[in-house]
Amino acid sequence: MARFTHVEGLSSADVQRLRSTYEPLAQSVRELIDATIRSEVDAADVATAKAHIDAATELLRAEQTDGPFGVRVTSDGERMPWGNPAIGIRNAIAPPLKLVRDEDGVVSTDFRLGAAYEGPPGHVHGGIVAMVLDHVLGEVAASDPETPRFTGTLTIRYLRATPLGDLRAEGRITRTDGIKTFAVGHVCDAQGITAEADGVFILPRWARG
Amino acid sequence: MARFTHVEGLSSADVQRLRSTYEPLAQSVRELIDATIRSEVDAADVATAKAHIDAATELLRAEQTDGPFGVRVTSDGERMPWGNPAIGIRNAIAPPLKLVRDEDGVVSTDFRLGAAYEGPPGHVHGGIVAMVLDHVLGEVAASDPETPRFTGTLTIRYLRATPLGDLRAEGRITRTDGIKTFAVGHVCDAQGITAEADGVFILPRWARG
C-alpha cells in the first residue's frame, strides 16, 4: 500500500512545464470556490456560471488519470505531491501550504485562510486547524522523503478560536525512539498561539529496513 | 466573536430556492476540483478551461458578501452553515458530510472521498480524517444549535491508513461535566475502524447563561 509512483523519463524541465500549466489552473479554481460560497447573484447568472464550469470540467476530463494523482517521483528523485489537500499545487482544496525547513529542523509555513475554511463565524474550522497541524507535524517527522512516517496519534489543544486571515504554523521533533518520532507544533496569528499539537509518527512497516 | 447572523424575513421557501440555486453549482465545482487534479490534457486545453473558470468566477463575484459566509439563521431558526468546509452545501471543499442523529444521540455520516482528499497514495490524508472526526464530535457535543460547543482538546489515534472510497464516521457523548462535554468517535471502512478519536468540547463564554 501507499507506495510512491516513480515516473521514468520525466526531467526537471518537464516538471517545470507541468507546474506552469496546472498551478495557475488550480489557483483559478480556488478563486471559484470562494466565489461559489460568497456569491449573491440570481439563479440565471448562477446557471450561466455553472455551464462555464461544466464546460471546463469536460475539457479537463478528456484525458485524465484513472484514479487519484498519487505521489509521483521523477527520475531525479523530485517529489510531486501535487494532489495533496494540504500542500498540493494542483488541489484547489489546499491553501496550498508552502513548508520551509530551517537549519535546526523546524518546519514552518505562513498562509492565509479565507471563506472556504470558515467554521465558527469569522473563524477557522477546528478540523482545518487539525489538518494543518497534522500535515506540518508529519512533514517534520519525515526527514527522508522516501521513507515517510505516518501519523500514529495526534492531540490538538485549542486555546482560542483561530481567526480567518494571515496565520502561521510551526513544528519540530522533540525525540525519536526507534520507529517512533515525537513532534510538537502550533498555529498562531499576530496575537499569539491559537492551537497546540503533539503527535507520534510511525515508520510504515513496508519502509522498515 | 463567532456569533450567528440572524437573517430576518427569510422564509423556508426562500431557503429552499437558494439551496436549489447554489447546491448544484457547488457540486459542479467539486467535479472541477477532481478534474483539475487528474487531468492530463495539454497546455492549450488547460488555458481554455481556465478561461471558462475565470468567466464563471467573474459572473459570481458581480454581487457577493463582503466577508465569509458566516452561519446564517433564518427567522424560523433554521441554520444555514452553507460555507462550512465539512458540511457546507455551498463549499466545494466539503464532501459535504450529511450528519444523521439517531434517537440515542449517536451522530453518523456515510460519505465518499476521492482524489481531492488523498494524502498517502490511494489513502485519505490524515488531516482530512482529523477534520471529519473534529466535525462529527463537535456536532455530537452541540445538542442545542444556538449554544455551540467549541473543541477544547481532540486526540486522534490512527489505527491504519484510511483508503479513499466509501467511508463512515460516528460519534457519541460519553459524559457532560458542567461546561465540558466528552465525546468519542471513529472513522471506518468496510473492513472496520481506521481511526478513533476522543474530544473535550467547551461551551463558549458568551453562551454561558
Short mmCIF file of all heavy atoms in Angstrom, two decimals, chain A residues 22 28 31 34 36-41 52 54 60-61 63 65-67 70 85 90-91 116 118 120 125 135 150 152 154-156 158, chain B residues 22 28 31 34 36-41 52 54 60-61 63 65-67 70 85 90-91 116 118 120 125 135 150 152 154-156 158:
data_model
loop_
_atom_site.label_atom_id
_atom_site.label_comp_id
_atom_site.label_asym_id
_atom_site.label_seq_id
_atom_site.Cartn_x
_atom_site.Cartn_y
_atom_site.Cartn_z
N TYR A 22 -0.44 23.71 -14.81
CA TYR A 22 -1.53 23.34 -13.88
C TYR A 22 -1.64 24.19 -12.63
O TYR A 22 -2.70 24.28 -12.02
CB TYR A 22 -1.40 21.85 -13.51
CG TYR A 22 -1.84 20.95 -14.64
CD1 TYR A 22 -0.92 20.25 -15.42
CD2 TYR A 22 -3.19 20.81 -14.93
CE1 TYR A 22 -1.33 19.43 -16.47
CE2 TYR A 22 -3.61 19.99 -15.98
CZ TYR A 22 -2.68 19.30 -16.74
OH TYR A 22 -3.10 18.49 -17.76
N SER A 28 -7.03 29.40 -10.13
CA SER A 28 -8.33 29.90 -10.60
C SER A 28 -9.48 29.15 -9.93
O SER A 28 -10.51 29.75 -9.60
CB SER A 28 -8.45 29.72 -12.12
OG SER A 28 -7.80 30.77 -12.80
N GLU A 31 -10.16 30.52 -6.47
CA GLU A 31 -10.98 31.75 -6.54
C GLU A 31 -12.45 31.39 -6.74
O GLU A 31 -13.34 32.00 -6.16
CB GLU A 31 -10.50 32.63 -7.69
CG GLU A 31 -9.20 33.37 -7.44
CD GLU A 31 -9.35 34.42 -6.34
OE1 GLU A 31 -10.38 35.12 -6.32
OE2 GLU A 31 -8.44 34.52 -5.50
N ASP A 34 -14.18 30.18 -3.57
CA ASP A 34 -14.52 31.33 -2.73
C ASP A 34 -15.76 32.05 -3.27
O ASP A 34 -16.68 32.38 -2.51
CB ASP A 34 -13.31 32.28 -2.68
CG ASP A 34 -13.54 33.49 -1.79
OD1 ASP A 34 -14.07 34.51 -2.29
OD2 ASP A 34 -13.19 33.43 -0.61
N THR A 36 -18.12 30.84 -5.16
CA THR A 36 -19.30 29.97 -5.05
C THR A 36 -19.95 30.09 -3.67
O THR A 36 -21.17 30.01 -3.54
CB THR A 36 -18.89 28.50 -5.33
OG1 THR A 36 -18.44 28.41 -6.69
CG2 THR A 36 -20.04 27.54 -5.14
N ILE A 37 -19.12 30.30 -2.66
CA ILE A 37 -19.65 30.45 -1.29
C ILE A 37 -20.26 31.84 -1.09
O ILE A 37 -21.31 31.99 -0.47
CB ILE A 37 -18.51 30.24 -0.26
CG1 ILE A 37 -17.99 28.80 -0.32
CG2 ILE A 37 -18.97 30.60 1.15
CD1 ILE A 37 -16.69 28.57 0.42
N ARG A 38 -19.61 32.87 -1.63
CA ARG A 38 -19.97 34.25 -1.29
C ARG A 38 -20.92 34.93 -2.28
O ARG A 38 -21.43 36.02 -2.01
CB ARG A 38 -18.68 35.07 -1.15
CG ARG A 38 -17.82 34.60 0.03
CD ARG A 38 -16.44 35.24 0.00
NE ARG A 38 -16.56 36.69 -0.04
CZ ARG A 38 -15.60 37.51 -0.52
NH1 ARG A 38 -14.47 37.01 -1.01
NH2 ARG A 38 -15.78 38.80 -0.50
N SER A 39 -21.15 34.31 -3.43
CA SER A 39 -21.94 34.96 -4.47
C SER A 39 -23.39 35.24 -4.03
O SER A 39 -23.98 34.47 -3.27
CB SER A 39 -21.97 34.08 -5.72
OG SER A 39 -22.71 34.73 -6.73
N GLU A 40 -23.93 36.34 -4.51
CA GLU A 40 -25.35 36.66 -4.27
C GLU A 40 -26.06 36.96 -5.58
O GLU A 40 -27.10 37.63 -5.59
CB GLU A 40 -25.44 37.86 -3.30
CG GLU A 40 -24.84 37.53 -1.95
CD GLU A 40 -25.10 38.60 -0.90
OE1 GLU A 40 -24.84 39.79 -1.18
OE2 GLU A 40 -25.55 38.25 0.20
N VAL A 41 -25.52 36.49 -6.70
CA VAL A 41 -26.17 36.75 -7.99
C VAL A 41 -27.40 35.86 -8.13
O VAL A 41 -27.58 34.89 -7.39
CB VAL A 41 -25.19 36.54 -9.18
CG1 VAL A 41 -23.99 37.47 -9.05
CG2 VAL A 41 -24.77 35.09 -9.32
N HIS A 52 -20.32 27.31 -17.65
CA HIS A 52 -18.88 27.51 -17.86
C HIS A 52 -18.05 26.46 -17.10
O HIS A 52 -17.08 25.91 -17.63
CB HIS A 52 -18.46 28.91 -17.35
CG HIS A 52 -18.66 30.00 -18.36
ND1 HIS A 52 -17.98 30.05 -19.55
CD2 HIS A 52 -19.44 31.11 -18.34
CE1 HIS A 52 -18.33 31.14 -20.23
NE2 HIS A 52 -19.23 31.80 -19.51
N ASP A 54 -18.99 23.45 -16.01
CA ASP A 54 -19.15 22.12 -16.57
C ASP A 54 -18.38 21.97 -17.89
O ASP A 54 -17.84 20.90 -18.19
CB ASP A 54 -20.64 21.81 -16.78
CG ASP A 54 -21.38 21.68 -15.45
OD1 ASP A 54 -20.73 21.49 -14.40
OD2 ASP A 54 -22.63 21.78 -15.45
N LEU A 60 -11.16 19.24 -19.30
CA LEU A 60 -10.07 18.67 -18.49
C LEU A 60 -10.17 17.15 -18.39
O LEU A 60 -9.15 16.45 -18.32
CB LEU A 60 -10.09 19.28 -17.08
CG LEU A 60 -9.77 20.78 -17.02
CD1 LEU A 60 -10.04 21.32 -15.62
CD2 LEU A 60 -8.32 21.04 -17.42
N ARG A 61 -11.39 16.62 -18.42
CA ARG A 61 -11.57 15.17 -18.28
C ARG A 61 -11.34 14.41 -19.59
O ARG A 61 -11.37 13.18 -19.60
CB ARG A 61 -12.97 14.86 -17.77
CG ARG A 61 -13.21 15.22 -16.30
CD ARG A 61 -14.21 14.25 -15.67
NE ARG A 61 -14.69 14.62 -14.36
CZ ARG A 61 -13.99 14.49 -13.22
NH1 ARG A 61 -12.74 14.05 -13.24
NH2 ARG A 61 -14.53 14.82 -12.06
N GLU A 63 -8.75 13.78 -21.10
CA GLU A 63 -7.64 12.85 -20.83
C GLU A 63 -7.32 13.01 -19.36
O GLU A 63 -7.01 14.12 -18.92
CB GLU A 63 -6.37 13.26 -21.59
CG GLU A 63 -6.17 12.63 -22.92
CD GLU A 63 -4.81 13.06 -23.48
OE1 GLU A 63 -3.79 12.47 -23.06
OE2 GLU A 63 -4.78 14.00 -24.30
N THR A 65 -5.98 10.77 -15.43
CA THR A 65 -5.52 9.55 -14.78
C THR A 65 -6.75 8.75 -14.35
O THR A 65 -7.80 9.30 -14.07
CB THR A 65 -4.70 9.86 -13.51
OG1 THR A 65 -5.49 10.66 -12.62
CG2 THR A 65 -3.43 10.62 -13.85
N ASP A 66 -6.59 7.42 -14.29
CA ASP A 66 -7.70 6.55 -13.91
C ASP A 66 -8.14 6.80 -12.47
O ASP A 66 -9.32 6.90 -12.20
CB ASP A 66 -7.28 5.07 -14.01
CG ASP A 66 -7.59 4.52 -15.40
OD1 ASP A 66 -8.34 5.18 -16.14
OD2 ASP A 66 -7.08 3.44 -15.72
N GLY A 67 -7.19 6.88 -11.57
CA GLY A 67 -7.53 7.05 -10.16
C GLY A 67 -7.04 8.39 -9.65
O GLY A 67 -6.93 9.35 -10.40
N GLY A 70 -1.89 10.35 -6.71
CA GLY A 70 -0.77 9.66 -6.08
C GLY A 70 0.33 10.63 -5.71
O GLY A 70 0.16 11.84 -5.80
N PRO A 85 -4.23 17.54 -0.29
CA PRO A 85 -5.18 18.57 0.14
C PRO A 85 -4.60 19.62 1.10
O PRO A 85 -5.29 20.59 1.42
CB PRO A 85 -6.29 17.77 0.84
CG PRO A 85 -5.64 16.51 1.27
CD PRO A 85 -4.56 16.21 0.27
N ARG A 90 -1.88 21.36 -7.38
CA ARG A 90 -2.99 21.08 -8.31
C ARG A 90 -4.29 20.80 -7.58
O ARG A 90 -5.29 20.49 -8.23
CB ARG A 90 -2.64 19.88 -9.20
CG ARG A 90 -1.68 20.25 -10.32
CD ARG A 90 -1.44 19.09 -11.25
NE ARG A 90 -2.63 18.66 -11.95
CZ ARG A 90 -2.61 17.84 -13.01
NH1 ARG A 90 -1.44 17.38 -13.46
NH2 ARG A 90 -3.72 17.48 -13.60
N ASN A 91 -4.29 20.87 -6.25
CA ASN A 91 -5.50 20.59 -5.49
C ASN A 91 -6.06 21.90 -4.94
O ASN A 91 -5.48 22.52 -4.05
CB ASN A 91 -5.19 19.62 -4.35
CG ASN A 91 -6.45 19.14 -3.65
OD1 ASN A 91 -7.50 19.79 -3.70
ND2 ASN A 91 -6.36 17.99 -3.01
N ALA A 116 -13.46 29.83 2.51
CA ALA A 116 -13.62 28.39 2.29
C ALA A 116 -13.21 27.54 3.49
O ALA A 116 -13.45 26.33 3.51
CB ALA A 116 -12.81 27.96 1.06
N GLU A 118 -13.96 28.49 6.79
CA GLU A 118 -14.70 29.01 7.94
C GLU A 118 -15.56 27.96 8.65
O GLU A 118 -16.37 27.29 8.04
CB GLU A 118 -15.62 30.14 7.46
CG GLU A 118 -16.36 30.85 8.59
CD GLU A 118 -17.35 31.89 8.07
OE1 GLU A 118 -18.02 31.63 7.06
OE2 GLU A 118 -17.45 32.97 8.68
N PRO A 120 -16.74 28.29 12.88
CA PRO A 120 -17.48 29.32 13.61
C PRO A 120 -17.38 30.63 12.82
O PRO A 120 -16.34 30.90 12.21
CB PRO A 120 -16.72 29.44 14.94
CG PRO A 120 -15.93 28.18 15.07
CD PRO A 120 -15.61 27.75 13.66
N HIS A 125 -12.40 26.66 10.80
CA HIS A 125 -12.97 25.39 11.27
C HIS A 125 -11.89 24.63 12.06
O HIS A 125 -10.75 24.53 11.60
CB HIS A 125 -13.40 24.57 10.06
CG HIS A 125 -14.21 23.35 10.39
ND1 HIS A 125 -13.67 22.24 10.99
CD2 HIS A 125 -15.52 23.07 10.20
CE1 HIS A 125 -14.62 21.33 11.15
NE2 HIS A 125 -15.76 21.81 10.67
N HIS A 135 -0.44 17.95 9.02
CA HIS A 135 0.50 17.98 7.89
C HIS A 135 1.87 18.50 8.29
O HIS A 135 2.90 17.93 7.92
CB HIS A 135 -0.05 18.79 6.71
CG HIS A 135 0.71 18.47 5.47
ND1 HIS A 135 0.32 17.50 4.58
CD2 HIS A 135 1.91 18.92 5.03
CE1 HIS A 135 1.24 17.37 3.65
NE2 HIS A 135 2.21 18.23 3.88
N PHE A 150 3.97 7.86 9.12
CA PHE A 150 2.54 8.11 9.17
C PHE A 150 2.12 8.46 10.58
O PHE A 150 2.74 8.02 11.55
CB PHE A 150 1.78 6.88 8.65
CG PHE A 150 1.96 6.72 7.17
CD1 PHE A 150 2.87 5.80 6.66
CD2 PHE A 150 1.27 7.54 6.30
CE1 PHE A 150 3.07 5.69 5.29
CE2 PHE A 150 1.47 7.42 4.93
CZ PHE A 150 2.37 6.51 4.43
N GLY A 152 0.60 8.35 14.01
CA GLY A 152 0.10 7.32 14.92
C GLY A 152 -0.97 7.95 15.80
O GLY A 152 -2.12 7.54 15.79
N LEU A 154 -2.36 11.95 17.22
CA LEU A 154 -2.27 13.41 17.13
C LEU A 154 -3.23 14.00 18.16
O LEU A 154 -4.39 13.63 18.21
CB LEU A 154 -2.69 13.87 15.73
CG LEU A 154 -2.65 15.38 15.47
CD1 LEU A 154 -1.20 15.88 15.40
CD2 LEU A 154 -3.37 15.72 14.17
N THR A 155 -2.69 14.88 19.02
CA THR A 155 -3.54 15.56 20.01
C THR A 155 -3.46 17.06 19.77
O THR A 155 -2.36 17.61 19.63
CB THR A 155 -3.08 15.25 21.45
OG1 THR A 155 -3.19 13.85 21.67
CG2 THR A 155 -3.94 16.00 22.48
N ILE A 156 -4.63 17.69 19.70
CA ILE A 156 -4.68 19.13 19.46
C ILE A 156 -5.40 19.79 20.62
O ILE A 156 -6.47 19.35 21.04
CB ILE A 156 -5.41 19.41 18.14
CG1 ILE A 156 -4.59 18.78 17.01
CG2 ILE A 156 -5.57 20.92 17.91
CD1 ILE A 156 -5.37 18.52 15.79
N TYR A 158 -7.04 23.32 21.57
CA TYR A 158 -7.50 24.59 21.01
C TYR A 158 -7.53 25.61 22.14
O TYR A 158 -8.32 25.49 23.08
CB TYR A 158 -8.88 24.42 20.40
CG TYR A 158 -8.90 23.47 19.21
CD1 TYR A 158 -9.08 22.10 19.37
CD2 TYR A 158 -8.73 23.95 17.91
CE1 TYR A 158 -9.10 21.23 18.28
CE2 TYR A 158 -8.74 23.10 16.82
CZ TYR A 158 -8.93 21.74 17.02
OH TYR A 158 -8.94 20.88 15.93
N TYR B 22 -27.83 27.20 -5.48
CA TYR B 22 -26.40 27.13 -5.19
C TYR B 22 -25.83 25.72 -4.95
O TYR B 22 -24.63 25.51 -5.13
CB TYR B 22 -26.06 28.04 -4.00
CG TYR B 22 -26.07 29.50 -4.39
CD1 TYR B 22 -27.12 30.34 -4.04
CD2 TYR B 22 -25.01 30.03 -5.14
CE1 TYR B 22 -27.13 31.68 -4.43
CE2 TYR B 22 -25.01 31.36 -5.53
CZ TYR B 22 -26.07 32.19 -5.17
OH TYR B 22 -26.06 33.50 -5.55
N SER B 28 -20.93 21.10 -9.08
CA SER B 28 -20.13 21.23 -10.30
C SER B 28 -18.69 21.60 -9.97
O SER B 28 -17.75 21.13 -10.61
CB SER B 28 -20.72 22.30 -11.22
OG SER B 28 -21.79 21.78 -11.98
N GLU B 31 -16.68 18.57 -8.91
CA GLU B 31 -16.22 17.81 -10.08
C GLU B 31 -15.01 18.47 -10.72
O GLU B 31 -14.05 17.80 -11.13
CB GLU B 31 -17.35 17.72 -11.12
CG GLU B 31 -18.47 16.78 -10.75
CD GLU B 31 -18.00 15.33 -10.75
OE1 GLU B 31 -17.23 14.94 -11.64
OE2 GLU B 31 -18.41 14.61 -9.83
N ASP B 34 -11.76 17.83 -8.78
CA ASP B 34 -11.27 16.48 -9.09
C ASP B 34 -10.59 16.46 -10.47
O ASP B 34 -9.48 15.92 -10.63
CB ASP B 34 -12.45 15.50 -9.04
CG ASP B 34 -12.05 14.07 -9.32
OD1 ASP B 34 -12.01 13.67 -10.51
OD2 ASP B 34 -11.78 13.33 -8.36
N THR B 36 -9.26 18.96 -12.09
CA THR B 36 -8.04 19.79 -12.07
C THR B 36 -6.84 18.98 -11.57
O THR B 36 -5.71 19.18 -12.02
CB THR B 36 -8.27 21.03 -11.18
OG1 THR B 36 -9.31 21.83 -11.77
CG2 THR B 36 -7.02 21.87 -11.03
N ILE B 37 -7.09 18.07 -10.65
CA ILE B 37 -6.02 17.22 -10.11
C ILE B 37 -5.64 16.13 -11.11
O ILE B 37 -4.47 15.83 -11.30
CB ILE B 37 -6.48 16.57 -8.78
CG1 ILE B 37 -6.68 17.64 -7.70
CG2 ILE B 37 -5.46 15.52 -8.31
CD1 ILE B 37 -7.42 17.15 -6.47
N ARG B 38 -6.65 15.52 -11.76
CA ARG B 38 -6.41 14.30 -12.55
C ARG B 38 -6.21 14.53 -14.04
O ARG B 38 -5.80 13.60 -14.76
CB ARG B 38 -7.58 13.33 -12.33
CG ARG B 38 -7.68 12.86 -10.87
CD ARG B 38 -9.00 12.14 -10.61
NE ARG B 38 -9.19 11.05 -11.56
CZ ARG B 38 -10.37 10.52 -11.89
NH1 ARG B 38 -11.48 11.00 -11.36
NH2 ARG B 38 -10.44 9.54 -12.75
N SER B 39 -6.43 15.75 -14.52
CA SER B 39 -6.36 16.00 -15.96
C SER B 39 -4.96 15.77 -16.54
O SER B 39 -3.95 16.02 -15.88
CB SER B 39 -6.78 17.44 -16.25
OG SER B 39 -6.77 17.65 -17.64
N GLU B 40 -4.93 15.30 -17.78
CA GLU B 40 -3.66 15.14 -18.49
C GLU B 40 -3.73 15.82 -19.85
O GLU B 40 -2.95 15.50 -20.75
CB GLU B 40 -3.34 13.65 -18.64
CG GLU B 40 -3.13 13.00 -17.28
CD GLU B 40 -2.61 11.57 -17.36
OE1 GLU B 40 -3.17 10.77 -18.14
OE2 GLU B 40 -1.62 11.27 -16.66
N VAL B 41 -4.64 16.76 -20.03
CA VAL B 41 -4.75 17.44 -21.33
C VAL B 41 -3.60 18.45 -21.48
O VAL B 41 -2.91 18.79 -20.53
CB VAL B 41 -6.13 18.14 -21.50
CG1 VAL B 41 -7.27 17.13 -21.38
CG2 VAL B 41 -6.32 19.28 -20.51
N HIS B 52 -12.79 29.57 -19.04
CA HIS B 52 -14.16 29.28 -18.61
C HIS B 52 -14.32 29.52 -17.10
O HIS B 52 -15.29 30.10 -16.64
CB HIS B 52 -14.53 27.82 -18.91
CG HIS B 52 -15.03 27.60 -20.31
ND1 HIS B 52 -16.19 28.17 -20.78
CD2 HIS B 52 -14.55 26.84 -21.33
CE1 HIS B 52 -16.40 27.79 -22.03
NE2 HIS B 52 -15.40 26.98 -22.40
N ASP B 54 -12.46 31.37 -15.03
CA ASP B 54 -12.36 32.79 -14.68
C ASP B 54 -13.64 33.55 -15.05
O ASP B 54 -14.06 34.47 -14.33
CB ASP B 54 -11.13 33.42 -15.34
CG ASP B 54 -9.82 32.84 -14.77
OD1 ASP B 54 -9.87 32.26 -13.66
OD2 ASP B 54 -8.78 32.98 -15.43
N LEU B 60 -20.03 35.27 -10.86
CA LEU B 60 -20.47 35.04 -9.47
C LEU B 60 -20.08 36.19 -8.55
O LEU B 60 -20.77 36.51 -7.60
CB LEU B 60 -19.89 33.72 -8.94
CG LEU B 60 -20.38 32.46 -9.65
CD1 LEU B 60 -19.57 31.24 -9.20
CD2 LEU B 60 -21.87 32.22 -9.38
N ARG B 61 -18.93 36.83 -8.85
CA ARG B 61 -18.45 37.91 -7.98
C ARG B 61 -19.14 39.26 -8.26
O ARG B 61 -18.91 40.22 -7.53
CB ARG B 61 -16.94 38.09 -8.14
CG ARG B 61 -16.09 36.98 -7.53
CD ARG B 61 -14.79 37.55 -6.98
NE ARG B 61 -13.80 36.55 -6.60
CZ ARG B 61 -13.84 35.84 -5.47
NH1 ARG B 61 -14.84 35.97 -4.63
NH2 ARG B 61 -12.87 34.98 -5.19
N GLU B 63 -21.99 40.20 -7.59
CA GLU B 63 -22.64 40.56 -6.31
C GLU B 63 -22.22 39.49 -5.32
O GLU B 63 -22.47 38.30 -5.55
CB GLU B 63 -24.16 40.47 -6.44
CG GLU B 63 -24.89 41.73 -6.80
CD GLU B 63 -26.39 41.49 -6.77
OE1 GLU B 63 -26.97 41.52 -5.67
OE2 GLU B 63 -26.96 41.24 -7.85
N THR B 65 -21.11 38.66 -0.81
CA THR B 65 -20.96 39.14 0.57
C THR B 65 -19.56 39.73 0.72
O THR B 65 -18.62 39.30 0.05
CB THR B 65 -21.12 37.99 1.59
OG1 THR B 65 -20.16 36.99 1.29
CG2 THR B 65 -22.51 37.40 1.53
N ASP B 66 -19.45 40.70 1.63
CA ASP B 66 -18.15 41.34 1.86
C ASP B 66 -17.13 40.36 2.40
O ASP B 66 -16.00 40.32 1.95
CB ASP B 66 -18.30 42.49 2.87
CG ASP B 66 -18.61 43.80 2.18
OD1 ASP B 66 -18.45 43.86 0.95
OD2 ASP B 66 -19.01 44.76 2.87
N GLY B 67 -17.52 39.62 3.39
CA GLY B 67 -16.57 38.70 4.03
C GLY B 67 -16.98 37.26 3.80
O GLY B 67 -17.61 36.95 2.79
N GLY B 70 -20.34 33.06 7.00
CA GLY B 70 -20.87 33.02 8.36
C GLY B 70 -21.82 31.85 8.54
O GLY B 70 -21.92 30.97 7.67
N PRO B 85 -16.51 23.99 5.67
CA PRO B 85 -15.67 23.09 4.88
C PRO B 85 -15.88 21.60 5.14
O PRO B 85 -15.32 20.77 4.44
CB PRO B 85 -14.24 23.50 5.25
CG PRO B 85 -14.36 24.13 6.60
CD PRO B 85 -15.73 24.74 6.67
N ARG B 90 -22.61 24.86 -0.03
CA ARG B 90 -22.06 25.82 -0.98
C ARG B 90 -20.54 25.83 -0.97
O ARG B 90 -19.92 26.65 -1.66
CB ARG B 90 -22.58 27.23 -0.67
CG ARG B 90 -24.00 27.44 -1.13
CD ARG B 90 -24.46 28.85 -0.93
NE ARG B 90 -23.70 29.83 -1.68
CZ ARG B 90 -24.08 31.09 -1.86
NH1 ARG B 90 -25.23 31.50 -1.34
NH2 ARG B 90 -23.33 31.94 -2.53
N ASN B 91 -19.91 24.97 -0.16
CA ASN B 91 -18.46 24.94 -0.09
C ASN B 91 -17.94 23.69 -0.79
O ASN B 91 -18.12 22.56 -0.32
CB ASN B 91 -18.01 24.96 1.38
CG ASN B 91 -16.51 25.14 1.50
OD1 ASN B 91 -15.77 24.83 0.57
ND2 ASN B 91 -16.06 25.65 2.64
N ALA B 116 -9.39 14.34 -4.32
CA ALA B 116 -9.11 15.63 -3.68
C ALA B 116 -8.74 15.50 -2.20
O ALA B 116 -8.30 16.47 -1.58
CB ALA B 116 -10.32 16.55 -3.82
N GLU B 118 -6.66 12.93 -1.02
CA GLU B 118 -5.57 11.95 -0.95
C GLU B 118 -4.31 12.50 -0.28
O GLU B 118 -3.78 13.53 -0.68
CB GLU B 118 -5.22 11.51 -2.38
CG GLU B 118 -4.16 10.41 -2.45
CD GLU B 118 -3.75 10.08 -3.89
OE1 GLU B 118 -3.63 11.02 -4.72
OE2 GLU B 118 -3.58 8.88 -4.19
N PRO B 120 -1.32 9.92 1.64
CA PRO B 120 -0.51 8.80 1.14
C PRO B 120 -1.21 8.23 -0.10
O PRO B 120 -2.45 8.21 -0.14
CB PRO B 120 -0.55 7.79 2.29
CG PRO B 120 -0.96 8.56 3.50
CD PRO B 120 -1.82 9.68 3.01
N HIS B 125 -5.76 11.68 3.39
CA HIS B 125 -4.83 12.49 4.17
C HIS B 125 -5.23 12.42 5.65
O HIS B 125 -6.42 12.58 5.97
CB HIS B 125 -4.90 13.93 3.68
CG HIS B 125 -3.84 14.83 4.23
ND1 HIS B 125 -3.81 15.23 5.55
CD2 HIS B 125 -2.76 15.40 3.65
CE1 HIS B 125 -2.75 16.02 5.75
NE2 HIS B 125 -2.10 16.14 4.60
N HIS B 135 -15.37 17.45 13.22
CA HIS B 135 -16.71 17.94 12.94
C HIS B 135 -17.80 17.04 13.55
O HIS B 135 -18.75 17.53 14.15
CB HIS B 135 -16.95 18.11 11.44
CG HIS B 135 -18.15 18.96 11.20
ND1 HIS B 135 -18.08 20.32 11.05
CD2 HIS B 135 -19.47 18.66 11.22
CE1 HIS B 135 -19.31 20.81 10.96
NE2 HIS B 135 -20.17 19.82 11.04
N PHE B 150 -17.32 24.50 21.46
CA PHE B 150 -16.11 24.53 20.66
C PHE B 150 -15.13 23.48 21.14
O PHE B 150 -15.10 23.15 22.33
CB PHE B 150 -15.49 25.93 20.69
CG PHE B 150 -16.33 26.92 19.94
CD1 PHE B 150 -17.19 27.78 20.58
CD2 PHE B 150 -16.30 26.93 18.55
CE1 PHE B 150 -18.00 28.65 19.87
CE2 PHE B 150 -17.11 27.80 17.84
CZ PHE B 150 -17.96 28.67 18.50
N GLY B 152 -12.17 21.78 22.68
CA GLY B 152 -11.11 22.11 23.63
C GLY B 152 -9.88 21.30 23.30
O GLY B 152 -8.83 21.83 22.97
N LEU B 154 -8.70 17.57 21.14
CA LEU B 154 -9.08 16.47 20.26
C LEU B 154 -7.88 15.55 20.10
O LEU B 154 -6.78 16.02 19.79
CB LEU B 154 -9.49 17.02 18.88
CG LEU B 154 -9.93 15.99 17.84
CD1 LEU B 154 -11.29 15.39 18.19
CD2 LEU B 154 -10.00 16.64 16.44
N THR B 155 -8.07 14.25 20.37
CA THR B 155 -6.99 13.28 20.19
C THR B 155 -7.44 12.24 19.18
O THR B 155 -8.54 11.70 19.29
CB THR B 155 -6.65 12.58 21.53
OG1 THR B 155 -6.19 13.57 22.45
CG2 THR B 155 -5.53 11.55 21.33
N ILE B 156 -6.57 11.99 18.20
CA ILE B 156 -6.90 11.02 17.16
C ILE B 156 -5.85 9.93 17.15
O ILE B 156 -4.65 10.21 17.16
CB ILE B 156 -6.97 11.73 15.79
CG1 ILE B 156 -8.11 12.74 15.84
CG2 ILE B 156 -7.20 10.72 14.67
CD1 ILE B 156 -7.99 13.81 14.83
N TYR B 158 -4.59 6.90 14.86
CA TYR B 158 -4.70 6.33 13.52
C TYR B 158 -4.30 4.85 13.63
O TYR B 158 -3.15 4.54 13.92
CB TYR B 158 -3.78 7.07 12.56
CG TYR B 158 -4.18 8.53 12.36
CD1 TYR B 158 -3.71 9.52 13.21
CD2 TYR B 158 -5.03 8.89 11.32
CE1 TYR B 158 -4.07 10.86 13.02
CE2 TYR B 158 -5.40 10.23 11.12
CZ TYR B 158 -4.92 11.20 11.98
OH TYR B 158 -5.28 12.51 11.79
#
